[in-house]
Amino acid sequence: MIDDLLDRMTLEEQVSLLSGADFWTTVPVERLGIPKIKVTDGPNGARGAGSLVAGVHSACFPVAIALGATWNPALVERMGVAIAGQAKSKGASVLLAPTVNIHRSGLNGRNFECYSEDPMLTAELAVAYIQGVQGQGIAATIKHFVGNESEIERQTMSSDIDERALREIYLLPFEKAVKRAGVMAVMSSYNRLNGTYTSEHPWLLTEVLRDEWGFDGIVMSDWFGSHSTATSVNAGLDLEMPGPARDRGEKLVAAVRNGEVKPETVRAAAGRILKLLEYVGAFESAPDLAEHALDLPEDRALIRQLGAEGAVLLKNDGILPLNKAGLGHVAVLGPNAAEARVMGGGSAQIAAHYRISPLEGIREALLNANSIRHAVGCRNNRLINLFSGDIRVEYFKARSLAGLPVVAEPAHVGEFFWFDLPSTELDPSDFSARMTTSYVPAESGEHVFGMTNAGLAKLYVDGRLVVNGFDGWTRGDNYFGTANVEQRQGIHLEAGRRYQVVVEYCSSATMEEGINITAVRFGVEKPLGEQDMAEAVETARNADVALLFVGRDGQWDTEGLDLPDMRLPGRQEELIEKVAAVNANTVVILQTGGPVEMPWLGKVRAVLQMWYPGQELGHAVADVLFGDAEPGGRLPQTFPRHLSDNSAMIGDEAVYPGKDGHVRYAEGVFVGYRHHDNSGVEPLFPFGFGLGYTDFSWGKAQASAAQMALDGITVTVDVTNIGDRRGSELVQLYVRPLGSVVERPDKELRAFAKLKLAKGETARASLVVYPRDLSYFDVEAKAFRAAVGRYELLVAANAADIRSIVTIELAREWIGEVSDRLV
């Protein structure tokens, strides 16, 4: 059928398929019955075509690092199935997920959106996710291909990575997604790879992806991430997104006419688009693009289970789990206690069905709300608290706010991110809007108004210009680098008085190459001070236990900017120190998208890392704290003691964050625990680490053979739950070469098994390693090579806790071609 359609299509029609129609849909060819399909952002939900901050509600699942912490591919596959159902509820046929870039620096703004520092763990979880999604007839899109490990100057930065590191670390998740999961779509990254944009990189998109790995799906650009016509098409980029066409359309037709692009190149790319439509069933039944909310009890239960499964208990001197019956006064403290920090920021945001805060979850778990005392203590937000209330929004043609509004509509929060405007009469590049609302402060005193805008804006209070986001506007660090740095201004307000707040916005007069966004965000807050810190300390003083909810939120862990450091923002460390000084039973619950330094670690009894676990946050954290569920997570990323211990933080800006448009991956294959092993730098918490609520004994590991065979070696180890309750144990297998002609990591993860055992139960972990697991990439030979010799198979509880060692022999050198099938 596809060949027949291609034969009947004109060049112009074939070309039309190679750009989006708009932000979220492909171009139909009605003459031939070729429908349009919709794509939707993931990976922790399916947003649909709505704004990043509004739209039809969706189920909000845990972020990827929380999934990485589960070490549970079967559970992640179940999530993939559920996410596919959410995509269908938004009329989408393609999910823009998963994200499989590697945790390199610890500061990447999208660290939360990626699974792990280890490519093998990342690959196993990505394969499971893709299989879950695609098993339901929705196409998955693995991203960002490749080298997008930082958000700093990501649209132009060149990630300079040697081929060995690429093959062993950064490409492996993509390779397994293609060869094992049959992923249907790949998204190129914004950055350049070794000087060439990945969206026009023939070695990457054609030689490696298609010729070596056999990929037969589509390659799409990240949004506004394509830069050329003939160069990108010839390199292997099929679909330019979003639409309408910028570098395709008439430009591509002309490029074919003048011989810059061969007609068969366009035909092949159009054929891959048609194959995608066929895969998702678009020809059998034209997709219904309508969107609706799908709030299923089974999704709620799965999100809650995933939240506990990914929770990592980093420290516990026996205080956890808490005994509900024995608790009197419980202090629930910190900036993340009453706020439900359920997801990271950027394109992963969705409008969640609901958000359960830790405070709500604890109150529900304890039933006796009178026993709970709450205080904030300090803030941790990067931006001023978002305005919430009834807002009237009027839209005008042109940027002058003149005449009658074209349309008016209500809103309820002070953030507007316009993918689509509410009327076709409005031009996204030439419109204006007026937001009118009122604010009644609860307390008298200085309040701070803040605003950030992509476009130009002014904020007035009772007619007085308070925040000027118009004059002298320059790009800053918000909205993917398209908005200014948040502008702030303090003003004295009287409690109980109603103030009129008006924001006037107009779109930018010039549209630049790259991402173009129209957005504004405004907020107001009364700054917290010493009295608030003191209140939290006094609340903790006589409590049976002080539960401190600290960390970050989606303003810090977000697409578009990297973190400034690895410390808790604001006065949170001070809050921990002061609370721990008055309450010996202090438990810290962290919510971050990656590692943090913990100078206060020795002063608290327990530390629980919850990440951003989705809409069931409060229930999941209460389940773990009170022992209704165990903390099932293990670290998917090393937590260093200090930022300077990270392999990318060597004091050379060319290595991080980059210099003169290049960031050099000088550490090569020595990322994460590989770096800590080979440098001898002891981490705060090693890769794979996590505590539970029960104890296990391990037997001695046994290998099925002493010599490696083509079909691999199976290593088994018996594990017994010797504690007094059900729990899970993670068995990890690392390979260590005993002697090598090239520098190699001390050990590398090659297999793992997660066992769930009842009290007194014994189970056997079976871990299989294959010849490629012994290998390194030989750049000169363009192949994976395992040298003759001995190798140790290390059976471990984490990267620093080796429980058993089995030595095997490779009798003959093994060479693996890059095109070989993967098991």
Side-chain angles (χ1 to χ4, degrees):
M1 181 187 77
I2 290 176
D3 284 338
D4 178 62
L5 281 173
L6 291 169
D7 289 341
R8 295 161 59 196
M9 295 176 76
T10 65
L11 173 63
E12 288 78 5
E13 288 171 334
Q14 290 181 5
V15 165
S16 73
L17 296 182
L18 306 187
S19 298
D22 51 35
F23 233 83
W24 303 115
T25 65
T26 62
V27 172
V29 181
E30 295 178 2
R31 181 181 72 86
L32 298 174
I34 299 173
K36 67 165 60 179
I37 60 172
K38 183 193 292 184
V39 306
T40 179
D41 267 325
N44 54 283
R47 186 177 59 251
S51 156
L52 293 188
V53 295
V56 179
H57 287 181
S58 302
C60 180
F61 286 79
V63 300
I65 194 171
L67 301 180
T70 71
W71 291 69
N72 192 333
L75 199 57
V76 171
E77 183 172 354
R78 283 180 54 197
M79 175 177 154
V81 172
I83 288 279
Q86 291 292 317
K88 291 176 183 179
S89 77
K90 302 303 178 288
S93 302
V94 180
L95 183 71
L96 304 178
T99 304
V100 296
N101 299 107
I102 298 298
H103 296 161
R104 176 181 180 243
S105 70
L107 299 183
N108 182 11
R110 297 181 89 167
N111 198 88
F112 75 92
E113 200 176 322
C114 309
Y115 293 115
S116 175
E117 71 185 31
D118 184 81
M120 184 268 172
L121 175 58
T122 297
E124 291 302 308
L125 296 172
V127 166
Y129 184 100
I130 292 164
Q131 288 173 335
V133 170
Q134 295 195 164
Q136 304 304 304
I138 298 295
T141 309
I142 197 164
K143 59 185 186 180
H144 304 89
F145 194 53
V146 63
N148 180 195
E149 276 72 40
S150 170
E151 294 295 284
I152 296 175
E153 298 178 21
R154 63 174 180 162
Q155 288 183 267
T156 56
M157 185 70 78
S158 175
S159 297
D160 297 343
I161 314 173
D162 69 80
E163 188 175 357
R164 181 182 168 199
L166 274 171
R167 297 283 190 172
E168 294 185 24
I169 305 293
Y170 300 99
L171 289 176
L172 182 65
F174 295 95
E175 182 184 6
K176 288 198 174 186
V178 170
K179 292 182 177 180
R180 284 182 45 198
V183 70
M184 285 301 301
V186 171
M187 181 186 290
S188 61
S189 53
Y190 285 122
N191 54 277
R192 294 177 292 152
L193 176 66
N194 297 324
T196 302
Y197 281 109
T198 62
S199 60
E200 50 189 44
H201 204 301
W203 177 82
L204 185 65
L205 302 185
T206 296
E207 185 176 333
V208 173
L209 184 60
R210 297 196 189 282
D211 296 344
E212 294 178 0
W213 296 351
F215 178 65
D216 59 358
I218 72 159
V219 178
M220 71 176 76
S221 72
D222 204 339
W223 268 227
F224 304 101
S226 58
H227 303 272
S228 61
T229 301
T231 303
S232 68
V233 172
N234 288 332
L237 184 74
D238 298 312
L239 181 62
E240 172 197 61
M241 288 299 288
R246 300 177 309 282
D247 294 317
R248 304 289 174 93
E250 293 180 1
K251 292 181 181 179
L252 181 51
V253 171
V256 175
R257 302 288 191 212
N258 65 27
E260 293 179 75
V261 178
K262 295 179 180 178
E264 51 265 36
T265 300
V266 169
R267 178 187 172 99
R272 289 189 285 267
I273 300 294
L274 293 176
K275 181 179 177 181
L276 175 66
L277 268 63
E278 183 179 55
Y279 177 86
V280 299
F283 290 118
E284 297 175 12
S285 176
D288 179 1
L289 305 185
E291 301 190 1
H292 66 274
L294 184 66
D295 185 9
L296 301 175
E298 54 267 36
D299 285 354
R300 292 184 173 206
L302 178 58
I303 294 167
R304 186 168 180 169
Q305 180 183 356
L306 282 162
E309 187 89 4
V312 184
L313 186 59
L314 296 174
K315 178 179 179 179
N316 185 25
D317 69 357
I319 190 172
L320 297 181
L322 298 170
N323 181 1
K324 294 180 188 178
L327 285 176
H329 174 195
V330 177
V332 181
L333 311 170
N336 283 21
E339 297 290 332
R341 315 292 196 190
V342 302
M343 68 185 98
S347 60
Q349 293 177 96
I350 60 173
H353 290 306
Y354 57 87
R355 303 175 181 217
I356 306 297
S357 72
L359 182 59
E360 290 172 313
I362 290 168
R363 281 176 171 161
E364 185 177 327
L366 290 181
L367 298 178
N368 180 11
N370 292 329
S371 67
I372 298 171
R373 302 290 184 270
H374 167 60
V376 177
C378 65
R379 298 193 192 278
N380 63 359
N381 45 310
R382 186 176 66 87
L383 304 177
I384 295 297
N385 280 347
L386 183 65
F387 184 88
S388 177
D390 293 330
I391 305 170
R392 175 178 169 81
V393 189
E394 299 171 299
Y395 294 90
F396 301 84
K397 290 183 179 180
R399 289 183 286 274
S400 59
L401 291 147
L404 295 174
V406 172
V407 65
E409 62 181 11
H412 303 289
V413 293
E415 185 168 21
F416 301 87
F417 193 119
W418 293 288
F419 286 143
D420 296 304
L421 291 166
S423 171
T424 56
E425 295 183 48
L426 296 168
D427 181 350
S429 64
D430 189 19
F431 81 99
S432 51
R434 179 181 291 117
M435 285 72 80
T436 304
T437 185
S438 61
Y439 178 66
V440 181
E443 301 177 61
S444 296
E446 182 179 83
H447 288 64
V448 177
F449 285 86
M451 183 171 66
T452 178
N453 37 282
L456 303 175
K458 295 180 179 180
L459 184 151
Y460 300 85
V461 178
D462 280 355
R464 169 189 168 190
L465 178 60
V466 173
V467 182
N468 189 343
F470 195 106
D471 299 322
W473 184 97
T474 57
R475 279 179 178 258
D477 54 4
N478 295 305
Y479 292 112
F480 317 120
T482 66
N484 55 347
V485 173
E486 184 181 51
Q487 304 297 295
R488 299 180 178 185
Q489 182 61 52
I491 180 173
H492 183 86
L493 301 179
E494 297 293 332
R497 178 182 165 188
R498 184 173 298 276
Y499 294 84
Q500 185 188 60
V501 178
V502 175
V503 172
E504 294 183 342
Y505 172 89
C506 65
S507 58
S508 175
T510 59
M511 299 300 250
E512 302 180 23
E513 182 181 354
I515 298 177
N516 284 290
I517 284 172
T518 52
V520 63
R521 180 194 189 279
F522 61 94
V524 59
E525 66 182 47
K526 187 176 186 296
L528 299 184
E530 296 303 327
Q531 180 179 347
D532 302 281
M533 179 71 73
E535 179 187 354
V537 173
E538 288 307 306
T539 301
R541 188 180 300 275
N542 297 314
D544 291 343
V545 62
L547 302 177
L548 255 175
F549 290 86
V550 297
R552 300 192 292 257
D553 65 3
Q555 299 168 9
W556 292 103
D557 290 301
T558 183
E559 180 178 357
L561 72 155
D562 278 11
L563 293 164
D565 53 48
M566 236 166 50
R567 304 297 289 264
L568 291 176
R571 299 177 67 185
Q572 293 182 98
E573 291 182 357
E574 180 185 351
L575 177 63
I576 295 171
E577 297 267 2
K578 288 185 173 180
V579 167
V582 301
N583 192 312
N585 294 327
T586 296
V587 176
V588 171
I589 299 92
L590 283 170
Q591 280 198 267
T592 61
V596 290
E597 296 180 34
M598 302 183 196
W600 38 265
L601 180 63
K603 300 176 182 179
V604 301
R605 292 192 64 186
V607 179
L608 178 67
Q609 172 60 266
M610 285 300 299
W611 319 106
Y612 303 118
Q615 64 192 34
E616 287 283 332
L617 159 64
H619 290 147
V621 74
D623 287 344
V624 173
L625 289 174
F626 299 116
D628 296 317
E630 68 152 352
R634 304 294 186 267
L635 287 181
Q637 181 175 13
T638 304
F639 276 36
R641 292 186 181 276
H642 308 286
L643 176 61
S644 58
D645 294 340
N646 185 283
S647 61
M649 302 300 167
I650 62 173
D652 184 346
E653 63 179 317
V655 175
Y656 183 88
K659 183 180 180 181
D660 299 329
H662 291 260
V663 58
R664 180 167 52 89
Y665 287 42
E667 69 277 15
V669 299
F670 296 97
V671 182
Y673 67 88
R674 292 165 168 83
H675 160 71
H676 286 272
D677 283 347
N678 283 55
S679 66
V681 176
E682 183 181 357
L684 183 63
F685 295 108
F687 175 76
F689 177 84
L691 305 172
Y693 289 158
T694 188
D695 296 306
F696 298 90
S697 67
W698 291 38
K700 185 177 180 181
Q702 304 289 331
S704 61
Q707 286 196 354
M708 174 60 72
L710 291 178
D711 59 353
I713 286 178
T714 300
V715 176
T716 58
V717 59
D718 290 338
V719 178
T720 302
N721 183 346
I722 59 173
D724 58 4
R725 57 177 289 155
R726 182 176 179 83
S728 63
E729 184 74 313
L730 179 66
V731 181
Q732 304 162 41
L733 187 147
Y734 297 82
V735 169
R736 171 186 288 157
L738 297 179
S740 176
V741 295
V742 298
E743 187 179 21
R744 298 186 63 177
D746 174 71
K747 62 178 182 291
E748 297 180 276
L749 182 73
R750 291 298 187 242
F752 61 88
K754 194 169 188 179
L755 305 176
K756 294 181 180 294
L757 303 175
K759 174 184 176 182
E761 183 181 1
T762 298
R764 175 165 293 176
S766 293
L767 308 137
V768 183
V769 289
Y770 299 93
R772 177 159 163 173
D773 294 323
L774 309 183
S775 72
Y776 66 93
F777 186 76
D778 186 326
V779 176
E780 291 186 4
K782 300 292 183 184
F784 289 89
R785 181 187 298 274
V788 171
R790 294 187 305 142
Y791 296 80
E792 288 182 343
L793 308 182
L794 313 177
V795 178
N798 59 66
D801 185 1
I802 310 302
R803 299 292 178 88
S804 195
I805 299 176
V806 175
T807 303
I808 64 168
E809 193 88 20
L810 182 64
R812 297 179 59 184
E813 183 180 59
W814 179 87
I815 302 292
E817 302 297 333
V818 289
S819 59
D820 286 351
R821 183 178 66 89
L822 285 177
V823 291

